[in-house]
Amino acid sequence: MRSTTTITAAEPSAEVPEEAEGQTPLPERLMTELTAHRTLALREALGNDWDTAFLAVLHAFCLRLFYRSAADTCLEIEAKSAGFGTQAPGLNDTASAKAIDVRHEAWVKQLPATSSELWDALVGFDTDTRAALFAHCAALTINALHETWNRRPGALAHADRLAQAVGLDMAAAGWVPTVETYLGRVPKARILEAVREAKGEHAAQLIDHLKKPEMAQEAERLLAGTGWLPEPLRTPGLPDEAAAVPPADGDADAITALPAFLVDAENPAVPQAIAG
């Protein structure tokens, strides 16, 4: 299939009269036509020069992400970086957020103060430095956020593919199931499901008689250190260590993880009944 190139021409303007004397600007219509030819030729040339194309895209990324401007590039590439601090409490204090901030500030110190000097600075970088900066800029544009008002199944499916490619492990990234982050915000059935997947059926039975607030607190204790993740945080194809080999029923570790008031003093294998 042939690609179709469309360049919108400006409205024709009146030609400069032939009798005009002196050096006058070229007519607007002629400028549009000439630059249309140049644009196509430039596209063809850049399409055969991947190194310069990489540099041009990196330049466009940096203009937007570091200088908040796109006025100094002829590439119509939009690099957006959404902030998610209001979507999840404490998000800006996570290890991932802090690492991104540190890396971004390090690049700020390496880049020039004004956007007009950016191109020359990028030309002066070696290949590895450009590649690292490109990866940082590309990463800042990721938006894998689920929003009820903005259904994007294709984008979220691509986020899964991207997570697979980089081997993303949210447990290793620092996310843990707590009352605040998950357990206190889902029904009891999901709390028990999490404990069952991570610690086995017997561990789930030890807390299934509790009211939800107490169940969430004890589930947090049971899930600590297991690496268990809810479905939206799992990377397809990456083994889920917590759910891969659930412990056998009656696992002593699951019982001893419970506080004393839940375990019979004489027979630790039998949980105490809790009234009310």
Side-chain angles (χ1 to χ4, degrees), residues 1-238:
M1 296 178 62
R2 295 185 56 189
S3 62
T4 301
T5 301
T6 302
I7 298 177
T8 304
E11 289 296 326
S13 59
E15 299 286 341
V16 175
E18 292 184 4
E19 63 271 14
E21 297 181 358
Q23 196 77 330
T24 60
L26 292 175
E28 292 294 330
R29 173 71 183 195
L30 179 58
M31 283 291 295
T32 300
E33 292 180 2
L34 293 176
T35 53
H37 283 285
R38 186 170 187 260
T39 297
L40 285 177
L42 193 55
R43 287 180 181 180
E44 166 61 15
L46 191 64
N48 291 308
D49 187 344
W50 72 267
D51 193 37
T52 303
F54 177 87
L55 182 61
V57 173
L58 176 58
H59 177 255
F61 277 0
C62 289
L63 283 173
R64 185 62 174 167
L65 298 172
F66 288 92
Y67 301 93
R68 304 299 180 189
S69 171
D72 295 334
T73 177
C74 62
L75 272 64
E76 293 185 335
I77 293 178
E78 182 70 17
K80 298 180 180 179
S81 183
F84 303 127
T86 60
Q87 276 80 357
L91 189 64
N92 291 331
D93 296 324
T94 62
S96 294
K98 291 178 180 179
I100 292 172
D101 287 343
V102 168
R103 189 171 65 218
H104 193 79
E105 288 304 313
W107 283 118
V108 168
K109 293 178 181 178
Q110 293 190 59
L111 295 175
T114 62
S115 61
S116 61
E117 303 173 281
L118 177 61
W119 180 266
D120 290 337
L122 296 179
V123 170
F125 286 164
D126 59 40
T127 301
D128 288 344
T129 303
R130 288 183 197 166
L133 179 56
F134 186 89
H136 174 69
C137 290
L140 290 180
T141 70
I142 292 174
N143 183 351
L145 191 66
H146 170 86
E147 296 171 310
T148 57
W149 55 269
N150 186 19
R151 300 296 187 184
R152 304 178 304 139
L156 298 183
H158 178 250
D160 286 341
R161 298 294 296 272
L162 200 59
Q164 285 179 299
V166 299
L168 179 65
D169 182 346
M170 286 299 297
W175 190 91
V176 292
T178 66
V179 174
E180 291 76 18
T181 61
Y182 182 79
L183 300 168
R185 303 167 66 182
V186 296
K188 293 173 65 174
R190 285 197 175 273
I191 299 175
L192 294 173
E193 178 187 42
V195 173
R196 188 177 297 112
E197 288 182 352
K199 303 292 287 186
E201 179 63 34
H202 186 70
Q205 291 176 359
L206 292 176
I207 64 171
D208 64 3
H209 60 286
L210 297 175
K211 291 184 177 180
K212 181 179 173 180
E214 290 76 21
M215 179 185 288
Q217 291 175 358
E218 298 314 317
E220 179 179 328
R221 291 167 56 90
L222 288 168
L223 294 174
T226 64
W228 180 87
L229 297 170
E231 188 67 27
L233 297 186
R234 298 176 187 175
T235 296
L238 191 69

